[in-house]
Amino acid sequence: MRAAVLITAFFIVVALVWALHPPLSSHFAVQQFARADVDLRSCEATLRRAGDAALPALRQGLRSDSAQTRLQCARILALRGEREGDECLLELLSQHGRNESDTVGSQAERYLLAAWEMRDGPDAASRQRVLQAHSGNDAERQRDEDPAQHVDAR
């Protein structure tokens, strides 16, 4: 009788460990994105293996204080076809623009274009309009929205 209880307890523990491993390893992988010495391929492989179990960790990563964590989580979500990924990449592009000294914006643009290519996203003209709308500075956006208010003084 005691052996049967121990065997049952053992199988319950194994089942719990098996069920909790993907979500826990996903959270750990997402936390690693903020580190400067992160192995991106290893973290991405962990998240890929976790499949749908990684979605809560990736979505939580979109709210991170680290721009790199948000960028990597948004990239993976966008590649999976999740709308939150596209939205976060567009937000990062808006915040950081196409500034050479700040690579987050250019990476966000590159990741978004790659996700759209993979998913057969918007056509080229629509992509360009979306990217321009999200990457210019406020003065450029205002001028584009209402050119009558911004007359060249020649």
Side-chain angles (χ1 to χ4, degrees), residues 31-65:
Q31 290 174 351
Q32 296 303 304
F33 285 140
R35 296 181 47 174
D37 62 341
V38 65
D39 179 3
L40 288 176
R41 289 184 181 172
S42 173
C43 289
E44 289 176 18
T46 298
L47 293 165
R48 239 187 342 271
R49 278 192 307 273
D52 288 344
L55 290 175
L58 289 166
R59 289 182 177 125
Q60 184 178 2
L62 296 179
R63 296 185 301 273
S64 172
D65 291 335

Side-chain angles (χ1 to χ4, degrees), residues 1-8:
M1 179 70 162
R2 182 180 268 174
V5 171
L6 289 174
I7 290 173
T8 302

Side-chain angles (χ1 to χ4, degrees), residues 67-68 92 95-107:
Q68 283 301 319
L92 287 166
Q95 291 171 351
H96 295 271
R98 294 177 176 161
N99 186 348
E100 292 290 326
S101 63
D102 183 357
T103 61
V104 172
S106 60
Q107 284 180 314

Side-chain angles (χ1 to χ4, degrees), residues 14-15 24 26 29 42 45 47 59 62 83 102 109 121-122 126 140:
V14 168
L24 291 177
S26 297
S42 173
L47 293 165
R59 289 182 177 125
L62 296 179
R83 184 182 190 106
D102 183 357
E109 180 180 17
S126 297
E140 288 174 352

Side-chain angles (χ1 to χ4, degrees), residues 3-145:
V5 171
L6 289 174
I7 290 173
T8 302
F10 173 77
F11 282 114
I12 289 173
V13 169
V14 168
L16 283 173
V17 169
W18 179 77
L20 292 175
H21 183 263
L24 291 177
S25 63
S26 297
H27 282 283
F28 179 74
V30 166
Q31 290 174 351
Q32 296 303 304
F33 285 140
R35 296 181 47 174
D37 62 341
V38 65
D39 179 3
L40 288 176
R41 289 184 181 172
S42 173
C43 289
E44 289 176 18
T46 298
L47 293 165
R48 239 187 342 271
R49 278 192 307 273
D52 288 344
L55 290 175
L58 289 166
R59 289 182 177 125
Q60 184 178 2
L62 296 179
R63 296 185 301 273
S64 172
D65 291 335
S66 163
Q68 283 301 319
T69 299
R70 290 193 312 275
L71 183 67
Q72 295 302 325
C73 289
R75 177 181 158 282
I76 292 168
L77 286 168
L79 289 171
R80 290 177 55 98
E82 301 290 332
R83 184 182 190 106
E84 303 102 320
D86 289 6
E87 291 169 354
C88 186
L89 289 172
L90 286 168
E91 181 182 319
L92 287 166
L93 181 57
S94 292
Q95 291 171 351
H96 295 271
R98 294 177 176 161
N99 186 348
E100 292 290 326
S101 63
D102 183 357
T103 61
V104 172
S106 60
Q107 284 180 314
E109 180 180 17
R110 201 170 58 246
Y111 291 165
L112 189 59
L113 287 171
W116 285 346
E117 273 301 314
M118 209 171 132
R119 295 190 332 246
D120 197 27
D123 61 58
S126 297
R127 290 177 192 194
Q128 201 55 29
R129 283 194 304 273
V130 168
L131 293 175
Q132 284 176 344
H134 284 84
S135 66
N137 64 33
D138 289 335
E140 288 174 352
R141 269 190 235 137
Q142 288 172 350
R143 185 176 57 245
D144 291 342
E145 290 170 4

